[in-house]
Amino acid sequence: MEAASVAHAVAHEDHHGPPPAHRSSRVEPQLLGMLLFIISEVMVFGAFFTAYFFIRVAQGDPWPAPGTHLPVIPTLFNTMILVSSSITMHWALRGVQTGNYRALKAGILTTFLMGAAFLFIQINEYANIGFAPQDHAQATIFYSLTGLHGCHVFIGLCLLLFVTIRAFRGHYSPENHRGVEIPGIYWHFVDIMWIIVYTTVYVI
Amino acid sequence: MRTTLAKLRAPGLYRAGLGFAIGIAFATAITWVVRSSTGHATFHHYLSGDAILTVSLIASPIFFLVGLGGFDYWLYWAAGRPTRPEDHSSHGAHSWKDYFRINTDHKVIGIQYTVTAFFFLLVGGLLAMLMRAQLAQPGAQFVDANTYNGLFSVHASLLIFLFVIPVFAGLANYVLPLMIGAPDMAFPRLNALSYWLLPLAGLMMLSSFLAPGGAFADGWTAYTPLSIDAPIGQDFFSIGVQLAGASSIMTALNFLVTIITMRAPGMSFFRMPLLVWANFATSLLVVIATPFIAASQFFVLLDHALGFNFFNAGKGGDVLMYQHVFWFYSHPAVYIMMLPGFGIISEVIAVKARKPIFGYRMMAFSLLAIVALGFTVWAHHMFTSGMASWIRIPMAITTAIIAVPTGIKIFSWLATLWRGILHLDTPMLFALGFLTTFTLGGISGVMLAMVPFDIHVSASYFIVAHIHYVLFGGSLMTIFAGVYYWFPKMTGRTFDERLGKWHFWTTFVFFNLTFAPMHILGLEGMPRRVATYASKFADLNLFISIASFALGLSTLIFVYNIVTSWRGGPRAAANPWRGLTLEWQVSSPPPIFNFDRVPTVVGGPYEYGVPGAVHGIFAPAPVPATVGGGAPVTTGGGVHAPSE
Amino acid sequence: MPSRRSIAATGVAALIATAIGIALSYAIHWFPVQASTQAKNTDTLYHVLAIASIPIFVLVVTVILFSVWHFRMKPGQELQDGPPIHGNTRLEVLWTAFPAALLLGLVSYSFVVLHDNERKPAGKEIVVEVTGQQFAWTYQYPPSVTGGAPFSSTQLYLPNNESVDFAIRSKDVIHAFWIPAFRLQIDAVPGITTHYRATPDRIGSYPVVCNLLCGVGHSTMRSTVHVVAPARFEAWVRSGGASQSSTG
Ligand code: HEA
Ligand code: HEA
Ligand code: CUA
Ligand SMILES: [Cu+2]
């Protein structure tokens, strides 16, 4: 152990850091990275929507499958929960930007809870919907699109959880709020995606 | 005792092995919980080998990476603990062991990538040798049909996903930050993680030969519903592709952010070397297209492992949908496997012909045109698939038109050669070889765009010929050119020029002898993906097999040259080719942090023959910023090369 | 700068090489026999494509060889650079516009061929239903052909000079129904019926190949098509596909 730390100290001697990179663009690397990642994510959804398109539109299979029923109204309620959580997310971000830490904490916590509530209701819906993905292609697509979205909600929730922990530990400040902003962008993406999924799968 | 424990706790290969084992245990537990909670009657069903294997394929790589330390930083972040800013102690490699660790130095990662990829080239090539042994005679019983199908499937998957795509990412990882004057990539930890996904993906695909029922055997295209009914080996492909795909997307993100935000002062987009442009274009393709193959393999996995109905025609699924989703990625993928090569060729030809690239801007725009058009042609792989027949018309037109931007590139390279002073050494020979063989492969591609002709030769050996003319004669030639070209920079050593020339000529000759006759086989009616064939094709096949063995041997010249030169070749100068781009302005190999101070770019990258032209200087820029390609005020030795 | 004479000489050499290439593209025995009207159209298309692309390939190779020959670094030039030529707009427009025009021409011509090949001819047309299954083909002759009860056979008989509309299905995975002598193939896809049309015009027996990987037996999923005189075809159909032994 001791030898290792000595070695480390020695290693420190000849390890000066690299020169700071020149910033050739006004946009922040992290932000740009997140935006590009979201493009990739949109394409993942795009592929799943392609499957939906082929089965529902190109093949012309009835939707929903005969004998099944989609809970349009309860899910509308759930949709509203998720959409409101985007607003509380924004509230949290405004909070940290203006130094209002109470707003940050309250905002991020409500966002997290609303997201969790959404996921819980969605899983409950699966349990009671009365068909399984193995039954027919329509069910496959239904579960896949909503499930894919559910996975994204889950990832978003993990990010939010981490942000919440840090918010309560006071790691953010008006000068340093990128850690709230970037997960927030992801969360807005997840919400917008849900509106599309809801509209195409349940409403139309 | 204590040291073993310490080894198991510190990030590294030991802990990674432990993680791997935990992954399997985790998979066993989770399948047991899920199966018992969904109510299987007998104990036998609670533990299903296939289910455990499939979940292990997903879980163990992740646990392996956690063990290796790939996620350490993010886990700290997630736990709300203070994150340590990078202390850079892991930069550089001091012994070969450093290449087996998580390392965030783009130069180390570049070498990790390149060497790993070449390992898979040799393995994939070896599988091809086995295939050619089987095909040497009709009805040969060297391997059985199932194994043969596994051979070409793994051959193609390894060469595409573990060789061509990552080797380009590796070379660019090494030289791209240097070329734009950046100290590293934008996200070094992500970079390390994207490398480490690759060996896992490759070993997974390779180990599918050991799976019950044999390797995945539906070609690299894994068409449904065949892949749905396949044995468990199929999951090794579906999941391996996810890992390789995730790796590509992460690298592409990294390249895009690096190129956009980390260019040296003065390096506008139109002063970037074309290799940077090419990787910019490729990364756009990757970010947009790769999610589609991920999704296609999710569909297969869900159908295969959980009985979903994406492709079950009996329950309303759509079989052709797979092909649309797959090719929407896999056609752009062929440009992912070609555009970085175009970048390499531009570098090599400009330096070796001692002339500026002809039509620099058109070269950059044509890359973007290929990116855009590349998304509009996917169904040319489906002319005979039974899809709605009208789709063939727009797809055939766009496919033919994509030859125009490619042609612009070919002709501009030719014009760059014209009146230059050609240094015909190994990198240049490969570049010129590329121009000929790729043009041939591209032309056979254009013929395939002509629907009635494709209706005859689709899925015949004509396609196999096209594949290898573009992938070997195209991509691999550029890779060889690039490896020779940057070898002095990457290793600090000089390769043996004589052996390099031998390598080129044997490869060039035996490549053509191997693959040119395949056009004839295809036209005459020999289908691809067959373990045996009609006796009238016997003579040509024997000829091809013999030539292919010679081609395999020619690769060994390369391996020998690289290995011995790396270990004991003469020291390389900082700038042996007298290149202007920034990577040549630092020592070989470059200092740990690339530059002591960030250079300033004052002119175009290829101003050969322009008196006193300089691309970058290491002092602050001279006061009047010279515009465009004009010569800056400082003449001559403005380039400071800390060579030794 | 290379002399005008050497450029001219190279141009002549390139023309000769092109001529030889095109001659070879006719001389080499590329295709199996032509046994349908579609095959003739497709082969002509192929030759047109060869005539269009050989000059392009020769051009590329000629420029490379010429450059290697004339612009190779000579002793004493080690440190010299070439002239700083950055581009030439006229040339660039030319090599964008010319290939674009050529390609549009070729692709249009290919659509004409496609249209001809797929058009329903004026005369009589029979329907044959083809079913692919791991690892064999079966052929059903519907009442419209047999005049009575439909029957199915593992043999494919077709009357000469009559158009056939193949209706192709699959029972399991995707196969592809390829008759190289007709230059035609299409996939047999589970869940849908695909079609192609051929007019056999040469009496004889030709291989039928499954051309899409369908499992271990893919390499051996073969069959034969017998193109026979219409009278013989009638006889074969009337016997319910019995005369399987005698192949024509
Ligand atoms: C590096 C990889 C790569 C590249 C660059 C290309 C490039 C092209 N490919 Fe290829 N292709 C593959 C890899 C690649 N391909 C693979 C792997 C498959 C098989 C997949 C499978 O089924 O397993 C395939 C299959 C494939 C098919 C499907 C065949 C079938 O299955 O039936 C088609 C059809 O249109 C096609 C066309 C083209 C065209 C038009 C180009 C063009 O981009 C080529 C353009 C270049 C040139 C034309 C040369 C230079 C241009 C000039 C000198 C200008 C003047 C030229 C003219 C006027 C002609 N390719
Ligand atoms: C970059 C891509 C790439 C490369 C480089 C190659 C290289 C080669 N390929 Fe491959 N090939 C593909 C991509 C590639 N191929 C693809 C995409 C397919 C389609 C698959 C499908 O249908 O799904 C295919 C299919 C394919 C087929 C058709 C199979 C079939 O349809 O039945 C054949 C047949 O001859 C073949 C042969 C070869 C040969 C002889 C080489 C040679 O160039 C190989 C040369 C040999 C080496 C480079 C290695 C030499 C090394 C040694 C001899 C010793 C090694 C030592 C150790 C490992 C210890 N390939
Ligand atoms: Cu049926 Cu191949
Ligand atoms: Cu393609």
Side-chain angles (χ1 to χ4, degrees):
Chain A
M1 247 1 269
E2 217 169 56
S5 54
V6 170
H8 197 243
V10 172
H12 242 77
E13 290 287 276
D14 58 16
H15 274 113
H16 62 104
H22 176 252
R23 282 281 287 279
S24 53
S25 162
R26 261 189 300 265
V27 37
E28 285 196 16
Q30 282 84 349
L31 183 65
L32 185 62
M34 179 51 87
L35 293 178
L36 290 168
F37 179 64
I38 287 176
I39 294 182
S40 265
E41 292 274 49
V42 168
M43 295 310 289
V44 175
F45 277 95
F48 277 70
F49 276 115
T50 309
Y52 164 89
F53 172 84
F54 269 88
I55 285 165
R56 181 168 174 185
V57 183
Q59 296 240 96
D61 290 356
W63 188 275
T68 61
H69 162 80
L70 298 177
V72 180
I73 301 302
T75 313
L76 179 63
F77 176 68
N78 210 12
T79 307
M80 270 141 63
I81 298 185
L82 200 63
V83 172
S84 329
S85 79
S86 251
I87 299 170
T88 54
M89 184 70 229
H90 190 69
W91 178 36
L93 181 63
R94 293 294 309 162
V96 67
Q97 280 169 344
T98 55
N100 182 351
Y101 296 108
R102 290 244 325 264
L104 165 68
K105 288 180 202 165
I108 201 81
L109 194 65
T110 14
T111 313
F112 177 79
L113 291 176
M114 286 163 100
F118 172 86
L119 203 57
F120 178 77
I121 296 175
Q122 185 71 34
I123 290 173
N124 203 38
E125 180 179 316
Y126 282 175
N128 296 310
I129 202 160
F131 55 81
Q134 287 82 355
D135 291 355
H136 35 67
Q138 291 95 321
T140 294
I141 290 295
F142 170 81
Y143 274 94
S144 306
L145 263 175
T146 53
L148 177 73
H149 182 266
C151 291
H152 284 79
V153 175
F154 180 75
I155 301 171
L157 280 177
C158 292
L159 291 178
L160 287 181
L161 179 68
F162 308 151
V163 176
T164 313
I165 296 175
R166 290 186 162 264
F168 276 84
R169 292 195 180 177
H171 285 197
Y172 301 115
S173 64
E175 297 77 44
N176 170 22
H177 56 262
R178 204 196 290 127
V180 183
E181 189 180 352
I182 289 173
I185 293 177
Y186 189 76
W187 189 251
H188 294 315
F189 154 72
V190 169
D191 287 355
I192 295 172
M193 216 60 216
W194 175 252
I195 296 176
I196 301 173
V197 172
Y198 177 72
T199 321
T200 44
V201 172
Y202 290 82
V203 179
I204 313 180
Chain B
M1 229 359 248
R2 270 192 68 86
T3 50
T4 333
L5 218 72
K7 271 182 182 162
L8 283 179
R9 288 181 55 184
L13 277 180
Y14 291 98
R15 203 176 80 175
L18 181 68
F20 196 77
I22 294 178
I24 295 172
F26 173 82
T28 315
I30 195 116
T31 47
W32 183 74
V33 169
V34 169
R35 290 174 83 87
S36 46
S37 68
T38 53
H40 271 277
T42 59
F43 182 73
H44 176 74
H45 279 86
Y46 289 142
L47 284 175
S48 139
D50 276 10
I52 294 177
L53 188 52
T54 307
V55 181
S56 299
L57 286 174
I58 302 169
S60 340
I62 297 175
F63 279 91
F64 179 92
L65 291 172
V66 171
L68 196 68
F71 294 103
D72 276 10
Y73 172 85
W74 291 297
L75 291 178
Y76 268 91
W77 178 80
R81 289 204 254 159
T83 48
R84 299 156 298 176
E86 169 103 88
D87 69 353
H88 305 289
S89 59
S90 65
H91 269 235
H94 304 285
S95 84
W96 61 272
K97 283 187 187 156
D98 285 345
Y99 289 100
F100 291 84
R101 298 213 178 99
I102 291 275
N103 194 313
T104 54
D105 183 343
H106 76 97
K107 298 187 289 305
V108 175
I109 295 175
I111 288 184
Q112 286 176 322
Y113 255 106
T114 314
V115 172
T116 310
F118 270 99
F119 169 77
F120 286 113
L121 167 70
L122 292 183
V123 177
L126 197 66
L127 298 179
M129 302 290 98
L130 300 180
M131 283 149 58
R132 286 317 317 176
Q134 163 75 9
L135 293 176
Q137 285 181 340
Q141 282 303 315
F142 186 70
V143 292
D144 61 38
N146 195 35
T147 314
Y148 178 80
N149 293 354
L151 282 178
F152 65 72
S153 307
V154 180
H155 162 73
S157 309
L158 286 181
L159 285 166
I160 287 177
F161 297 114
L162 274 309
F163 175 61
V164 180
I165 295 177
V167 84
F168 280 135
L171 289 172
N173 232 304
Y174 200 102
V175 297
L176 190 145
L178 285 162
M179 279 183 159
I180 62 170
D184 204 330
M185 297 280 278
F187 306 120
R189 297 186 194 88
L190 190 69
N191 203 13
L193 188 61
S194 39
Y195 162 70
W196 278 99
L197 285 166
L198 286 174
L200 294 172
L203 293 177
M204 187 179 291
M205 288 184 182
L206 203 56
S207 61
S208 71
F209 279 109
L210 307 173
F216 55 94
D218 323 320
W220 77 282
T221 48
Y223 274 16
T224 56
L226 186 60
S227 52
I228 304 297
D229 305 332
I232 185 86
Q234 192 59 42
D235 290 352
F236 287 68
F237 174 78
S238 302
I239 298 171
V241 166
Q242 305 289 9
L243 299 183
S247 159
S248 301
I249 293 180
M250 282 159 28
T251 324
L253 276 180
N254 224 335
F255 279 138
L256 286 174
V257 177
T258 309
I259 295 170
I260 293 174
T261 66
M262 290 173 72
R263 279 166 291 128
M267 178 165 286
S268 59
F269 261 70
F270 287 107
R271 279 180 182 169
M272 294 194 311
L274 285 167
L275 180 108
V276 180
W277 266 105
N279 279 282
F280 182 79
T282 309
S283 301
L284 284 176
L285 278 174
V286 171
V287 166
I288 299 174
T290 310
F292 265 67
I293 195 173
S296 77
Q297 297 312 311
F298 278 133
F299 299 159
V300 170
L301 203 60
L302 289 170
D303 271 20
H304 189 233
L306 296 180
F308 279 39
N309 301 307
F310 282 105
F311 310 116
N312 183 342
K315 287 190 175 173
D318 191 319
V319 172
L320 289 183
M321 182 266 284
Y322 176 83
Q323 296 173 31
H324 284 289
V325 175
F326 179 85
W327 289 116
F328 190 79
Y329 163 75
S330 292
H331 181 81
V334 310
Y335 297 111
I336 293 171
M337 294 188 277
M338 201 58 257
L339 300 190
F342 288 169
I344 294 176
I345 293 304
S346 295
E347 299 302 319
V348 173
I349 287 191
V351 173
K352 299 289 171 188
R354 310 303 311 162
K355 271 184 65 200
I357 280 287
F358 193 93
Y360 171 91
R361 277 178 187 249
M362 282 309 276
M363 286 296 231
F365 288 136
S366 58
L367 287 168
L368 297 180
I370 293 175
V371 169
L373 279 170
F375 285 111
T376 62
V377 303
W378 76 90
H380 68 210
H381 296 272
M382 299 173 63
F383 285 152
T384 62
S385 70
M387 66 181 180
S389 54
W390 65 267
I391 307 178
R392 297 175 301 177
I393 308 292
M395 291 289 167
I397 296 173
T398 47
T399 304
I401 288 303
I402 212 162
V404 173
T406 320
I408 293 177
K409 301 198 75 77
I410 300 272
F411 295 130
S412 301
W413 285 318
L414 294 179
T416 309
L417 296 179
W418 195 257
R419 295 182 58 198
I421 294 179
L422 307 192
H423 293 238
L424 293 173
D425 50 8
T426 310
M428 184 63 156
L429 285 177
F430 273 102
L432 299 180
F434 156 83
L435 288 180
T436 35
T437 47
F438 177 75
T439 301
L440 249 170
I443 288 176
S444 67
V446 169
M447 294 172 83
L448 292 173
M450 308 298 155
V451 184
F453 178 68
D454 182 75
I455 286 179
H456 175 51
V457 296
S458 185
S460 75
Y461 259 74
F462 194 89
I463 307 294
V464 179
H466 167 69
I467 294 179
H468 291 89
Y469 264 90
V470 285
L471 275 171
F472 194 123
S475 316
L476 191 47
M477 290 281 187
T478 68
I479 291 164
F480 281 136
V483 167
Y484 282 114
Y485 180 66
W486 283 298
F487 184 82
K489 184 53 62 186
M490 294 172 74
T491 63
R493 305 277 181 168
T494 309
F495 59 83
D496 184 332
E497 179 63 35
R498 242 172 59 96
L499 285 178
K501 288 213 171 77
W502 269 100
H503 174 215
F504 170 74
W505 284 111
T506 49
T507 301
F508 186 76
V509 169
F510 292 117
F511 162 79
N512 284 297
L513 292 182
T514 304
F515 295 109
M518 289 188 184
H519 293 105
I520 306 180
L521 282 178
L523 291 172
E524 286 194 338
M526 176 165 164
R528 69 192 276 202
R529 297 174 169 172
V530 288
T532 182
Y533 47 85
S535 52
K536 66 172 172 172
F537 305 123
D539 295 344
L540 266 182
N541 268 296
L542 183 63
F543 178 83
I544 290 173
S545 287
I546 293 171
S548 77
F549 297 144
L551 179 61
L553 289 180
S554 77
T555 313
L556 296 183
I557 305 180
F558 168 77
V559 175
Y560 174 81
N561 190 0
I562 293 300
V563 171
T564 53
S565 307
W566 199 340
R567 295 183 53 184
R571 296 265 171 214
N575 192 355
W577 319 125
R578 295 189 298 122
L580 279 181
T581 44
L582 293 177
E583 84 274 26
W584 298 110
Q585 315 312 326
V586 295
S587 59
S588 298
I592 288 196
F593 296 121
N594 297 355
F595 308 99
D596 294 326
R597 62 202 286 194
V598 169
T600 302
V601 173
V602 295
Y606 305 116
E607 300 299 304
Y608 300 102
V610 179
V614 173
H615 173 51
I617 55 176
F618 283 83
V623 190
T626 42
V627 193
V633 197
T634 38
T635 41
V639 179
H640 152 77
S643 60
E644 181 53 77
Chain C
M1 231 357 224
S3 68
R4 274 179 193 285
R5 263 198 44 214
S6 56
I7 294 186
T10 312
V12 173
L15 283 180
I16 295 173
T18 309
I20 294 177
I22 291 173
L24 272 180
S25 82
Y26 274 96
I28 296 186
H29 175 72
W30 299 101
F31 287 102
V33 286
Q34 294 173 333
S36 72
T37 51
Q38 282 80 2
K40 301 199 168 54
N41 296 339
T42 304
D43 291 4
T44 312
L45 171 66
Y46 169 78
H47 283 118
V48 171
L49 290 175
I51 292 171
S53 28
I54 288 172
I56 294 173
F57 181 66
V58 170
L59 174 74
V60 171
V61 174
T62 310
V63 175
I64 293 174
L65 291 180
F66 187 83
S67 307
V68 166
W69 175 33
H70 275 277
F71 307 125
R72 188 175 72 249
M73 181 186 73
K74 295 164 197 84
Q77 291 187 319
E78 282 81 359
L79 294 179
Q80 282 179 24
D81 287 345
I85 304 167
H86 285 91
N88 178 324
T89 312
R90 289 245 305 274
L91 257 179
E92 290 174 46
V93 169
L94 184 74
W95 68 45
T96 310
F98 175 73
L102 177 67
L103 286 162
L104 286 176
L106 287 175
V107 83
S108 312
Y109 169 52
S110 82
F111 290 147
V112 173
V113 174
L114 182 67
H115 181 75
D116 277 0
N117 280 357
E118 296 187 341
R119 192 181 42 200
K120 187 172 177 185
K124 201 177 144 208
E125 180 168 87
I126 64 168
V127 175
V128 177
E129 291 164 14
V130 181
T131 307
Q133 188 178 7
Q134 286 168 329
F135 298 99
W137 296 106
T138 40
Y139 307 97
Q140 288 94 275
Y141 290 82
S144 61
V145 178
T146 61
F151 70 86
S152 80
S153 160
T154 55
Q155 299 279 316
L156 178 58
Y157 275 74
L158 298 175
N160 197 18
N161 287 324
E162 265 178 44
S163 177
V164 197
D165 177 9
F166 292 101
I168 300 148
R169 296 189 187 85
S170 164
K171 284 197 177 160
D172 36 45
V173 300
I174 306 180
H175 306 268
F177 184 65
W178 186 26
I179 304 179
F182 294 176
R183 313 287 188 272
L184 290 172
Q185 72 173 305
I186 195 144
D187 292 1
V189 184
I192 60 176
T193 305
T194 55
H195 289 269
Y196 72 64
R197 182 172 273 130
T199 311
D201 62 358
R202 187 175 183 278
I203 289 178
S205 296
Y206 314 102
V208 175
V209 178
C210 172
N211 200 23
L212 205 115
L213 183 60
C214 53
V216 270
H218 166 62
S219 344
T220 51
M221 186 163 161
R222 297 281 183 279
S223 156
T224 308
V225 50
H226 307 283
V227 179
V228 295
R232 258 197 81 193
F233 178 72
E234 285 302 318
W236 182 78
V237 167
R238 255 177 285 119
S239 72
S243 64
Q244 303 202 347
S245 47
S246 66
T247 53

